[in-house]
Amino acid sequence: MATPITEPVSCDPTRTKPLQDRVAIVTGSSRGIGREIAIHLASLGARVVVNYTSSSSQADSVVAQINSAADSPPRAVAVKADVSNPDDVKSLFDAAERAFDSEVHILVNSAGILDGTYPTVANTDVETFDKIFAVNTRGAFLCCREATNRVKRGGGGRIVLLTTSLVGALRPGYATYTASKAAVETMAKIVAKELKGTGITANCVAPGPIATEMFFEGKSEELVQKLKNDIPLGRLGEPNDVANLVGFLVSDGGEWVNGQVIRVNGGFV
């Protein structure tokens, strides 16, 4: 029997990474899923803007982790911006261009909030509704609008908006949060068509139950276990499960995926 011929593994340290020197803005990336996405994109060669809204300490920690592993730092900077504020969003893109002297190639909008008391519609106050839609829907719109005008055209331009698999699961207690994300999914599909001819793709990534602070907020151990049992793989997702998918979508290999909502939930929905 002939011995199969195998290709040698390349150990060339100068080999170009998939996102080498592309500039990526990741909103809400000081913690949770956004944090993991920022770190993963940096590992693929991207120069990353780590966006935060309030405390800078967590964002600075992410930046330090990325830059400590970089061959030629700085590969990451922290920028404060409220995604629900149009002036802040414009300043976020301005800061990215100044920091890396380049157009922005990638926007990943990961910023999002929910009400950890999980009220029914009957018990949801207008202030909470407006707050959730301001960040989740208005924020996604403002970031997406800025990206459609400023992300690099002609190839490599990527827009990824994080939504939720709850749009498919439709669980009680999540009506406002789910509705705020469903609107984003519709917008992304239309944006993908509006960007025809630019080479920019627009997609949504819709996580299921992911082990983050936001997921655990307000949930009992019994509820967490029940949700875990509802997942065919028998575990909660980890932030890197989402980050790996985002990394593919924003790379050249993900170019043919456009105008889609991709659920990453272990079979939960």
Side-chain angles (χ1 to χ4, degrees):
M1 187 179 214
T3 302
I5 299 173
T6 58
E7 292 292 329
V9 176
S10 173
C11 297
D12 182 2
T14 64
R15 184 177 179 181
T16 302
K17 295 180 178 180
L19 301 179
Q20 190 67 45
D21 292 332
R22 297 182 192 182
V23 175
I25 294 173
V26 185
T27 69
S29 52
S30 63
R31 62 180 187 150
I33 294 173
R35 177 184 187 278
E36 195 67 29
I37 291 171
I39 292 170
H40 181 59
L41 298 190
S43 76
L44 298 179
R47 295 175 289 176
V48 181
V49 172
V50 176
N51 162 248
Y52 66 99
T53 303
S54 52
S55 173
S56 64
S57 60
Q58 290 177 307
D60 289 340
S61 174
V62 179
V63 168
Q65 181 175 342
I66 291 172
N67 286 335
S68 67
D71 295 329
S72 54
R75 305 292 299 180
V77 295
V79 177
K80 182 178 182 179
D82 176 356
V83 297
S84 68
N85 183 313
D87 292 334
D88 278 16
V89 172
K90 181 181 182 302
S91 295
L92 177 62
F93 277 74
D94 290 343
E97 292 173 351
R98 283 196 306 270
F100 299 115
D101 192 25
S102 168
E103 292 178 280
V104 174
H105 300 76
I106 298 161
L107 166 73
V108 181
N109 185 55
S110 181
I113 60 171
L114 57 71
D115 182 348
T117 66
Y118 310 105
T120 62
V121 169
N123 294 310
T124 300
D125 58 67
V126 172
E127 291 76 18
T128 297
F129 178 92
D130 287 345
K131 182 178 179 181
I132 290 173
F133 265 78
V135 176
N136 295 358
T137 312
R138 175 185 167 98
F141 159 70
L142 291 173
C143 289
C144 193
R145 183 180 68 171
E146 200 71 21
T148 59
N149 286 297
R150 297 178 67 169
V151 162
K152 183 181 182 301
R153 301 186 172 217
R158 302 284 185 266
I159 298 171
V160 176
L161 309 176
L162 264 66
T163 60
T164 175
S165 286
L166 288 167
V167 175
L170 300 175
R171 288 188 172 247
Y174 292 89
T176 300
Y177 176 74
T178 302
S180 73
K181 295 293 193 175
V184 174
E185 293 186 355
T186 300
M187 179 173 61
K189 292 175 183 179
I190 294 173
V191 165
K193 294 181 178 181
E194 292 178 344
L195 288 171
K196 179 180 179 180
T198 65
I200 301 170
T201 66
N203 293 288
C204 288
V205 169
I210 305 294
T212 63
E213 291 177 31
M214 184 172 170
F215 168 77
F216 288 116
E217 183 181 355
K219 291 184 176 71
S220 65
E221 295 247 351
E222 292 77 16
L223 179 55
V224 170
Q225 188 59 47
K226 182 183 182 304
L227 291 170
K228 189 185 296 185
N229 291 339
D230 288 342
I231 301 170
L233 290 181
R235 68 172 177 87
L236 295 176
E238 296 293 337
N240 67 289
D241 292 318
V242 182
N244 288 333
L245 174 58
V246 173
F248 167 73
L249 289 175
V250 302
S251 70
D252 290 344
E255 184 177 43
W256 194 237
V257 183
N258 192 20
Q260 304 302 310
V261 176
I262 304 174
R263 292 176 181 159
V264 51
N265 56 42
F268 179 69
V269 179

